[in-house]
Each structure stands twice: as structure tokens, then as C-alpha cells.
């Protein structure tokens, strides 16, 4: 597996993969194509990095992350999105992409964190299989709807 950092030329591809990720995670409301393109553009023009993972020159997965400081001198990297293309799953590509992300791309000496939706059982099994442990549980009081 090889990887490369995405550029402005990859925004449409990333927005399309982001749509598939949202479908898989059953995100609501689903963003429109314009919204996905605008958000991806602003992330890449801002403080986010996008990495495309390739096999035989074809994209099989992507990750988007940003970097911050949790406390003075304590660098952490937040994985905003991680996705393996549907036709390429259960072949170890996700595991290999995260290995590259957490060794070659992000120094192993720094914290790597992410949010996974509670209902995303496959996602939770995946991250646990890779050695990620639960650090914080986010609670939500859903808004009421007007009748
Ligand atoms: C979660 C996801 C990234 C896994 O990618 P993948 O390439 O299929 O994962 P791998 O083949 O590298 O699997 C690594 C390990 O994760 C676990 N795993 C992966 N898919 C699983 C599944 N469907 N059910 C249970 N465990 C699973 C297994 O322990 C697996 O090891 P094994 O194959 O030796 O059993 C992929 O299914 C995906 O992109 N899903 C939609 C997006 C998503 O949920 N992203 C994470 C959001 S936080």
C-alpha cells in the first residue's frame, strides 16, 4: 500500500468518498454535494490534512485528520474521517492504512484520537482490533422536535 497527501485536485473525489462514509454511518441529515465540497475545501485550506491510500494506483481508503495541542507540549492528532471503500473491505487495508498513519505519517510518540459513533459496531470493532481503547464517552441530550 502507498499513500499520498491529497491536494485541491482531489476535493471532488474526497467529497464523493465522504458521501459514502456518511451513508455507511447513517448520518443525518445527509449533506448535499455542494455542502460536502465546501466543507472539504475549507478543511483542506484550513488545518486539516487528507491522506489517500492506494493499491495498484487506485484509491482504496482515505483519512482526514487535524493536529492540535491538548496541553502545553502535548500534541494530539484527531482523525476526523476514516473510510475504506466498500469493495475493498475485510482485506486488511484498513489495518494497513492505520499502521501507515500512526507510524510514517503521524509520529508514534504523539496522541492519536478519534470519535466513533456508538451505533457503528463495525467501526468500534475495527478500532479496538487495532489497539485503540475507550478514552471518553460523549453524552447527548437530543433536541426536541416542534409538533
Ligand atoms: C471500519 C472500516 C474502516 C474497516 O476497514 P477494513 O479494511 O474492512 O478493515 P480490516 O480488513 O483492516 O480489518 C481489521 C480488523 O477490524 C475488525 N473488523 C473489520 N471489519 C469488521 C466487521 N465488519 N465486523 C467485525 N470486525 C471487523 C476485525 O478485527 C479485523 O481483523 P480480522 O480481519 O483479522 O478479523 C470499514 O468497514 C469502513 O470504512 N466502514 C465505514 C466507515 C467507518 O465506519 N469508518 C470508521 C468511522 S470511526
Amino acid at each position: 500500500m502507498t499513500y499520498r497527501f491529497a491536494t485541491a485536485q482531489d476535493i471532488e473525489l474526497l467529497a464523493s468518498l465522504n458521501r459514502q462514509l456518511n451513508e455507511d454511518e447513517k448520518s443525518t441529515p445527509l449533506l448535499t454535494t455542494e455542502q460536502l465540497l465546501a466543507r472539504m475545501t475549507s478543511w483542506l485550506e484550513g488545518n486539516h490534512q487528507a491522506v489517500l491510500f492506494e493499491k495498484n494506483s487506485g484509491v482504496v481508503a482515505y483519512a482526514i485528520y487535524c493536529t492540535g495541542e491538548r496541553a502545553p507540549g502535548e500534541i494530539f492528532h484527531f482523525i476526523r474521517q476514516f473510510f475504506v471503500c466498500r469493495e475493498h473491505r475485510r482485506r486488511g487495508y484498513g489495518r494497513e492504512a492505520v499502521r501507515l498513519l500512526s507510524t510514517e505519517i503521524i509520529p508514534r510518540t504523539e496522541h492519536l484520537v478519534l470519535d466513533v459513533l456508538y451505533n457503528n459496531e463495525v467501526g468500534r470493532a475495527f478500532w479496538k482490533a487495532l489497539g485503540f481503547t475507550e478514552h471518553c464517552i460523549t453524552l447527548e441530550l437530543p433536541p426536541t422536535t416542534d409538533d
Side-chain angles (χ1 to χ4, degrees), residues 21 24-25 82-85 88-96 114-117 120 122-123 125-127 129-130:
L21 168 66
D24 288 350
E25 289 187 320
F82 184 79
F83 175 80
V84 173
C85 299
H88 294 298
R89 289 183 189 160
R90 295 313 306 256
R91 296 186 200 170
Y93 290 172
R95 188 189 288 276
E96 177 63 2
L114 62 102
D115 290 339
V116 56
L117 294 176
N120 185 353
V122 169
F126 172 73
W127 294 113
L130 270 58

Side-chain angles (χ1 to χ4, degrees), residues 14 51 67 77 88 91 94 107 111 119 124:
L14 285 165
V51 186
T67 300
H77 306 269
H88 294 298
R91 296 186 200 170
H111 296 268
N119 291 333
R124 287 165 59 195

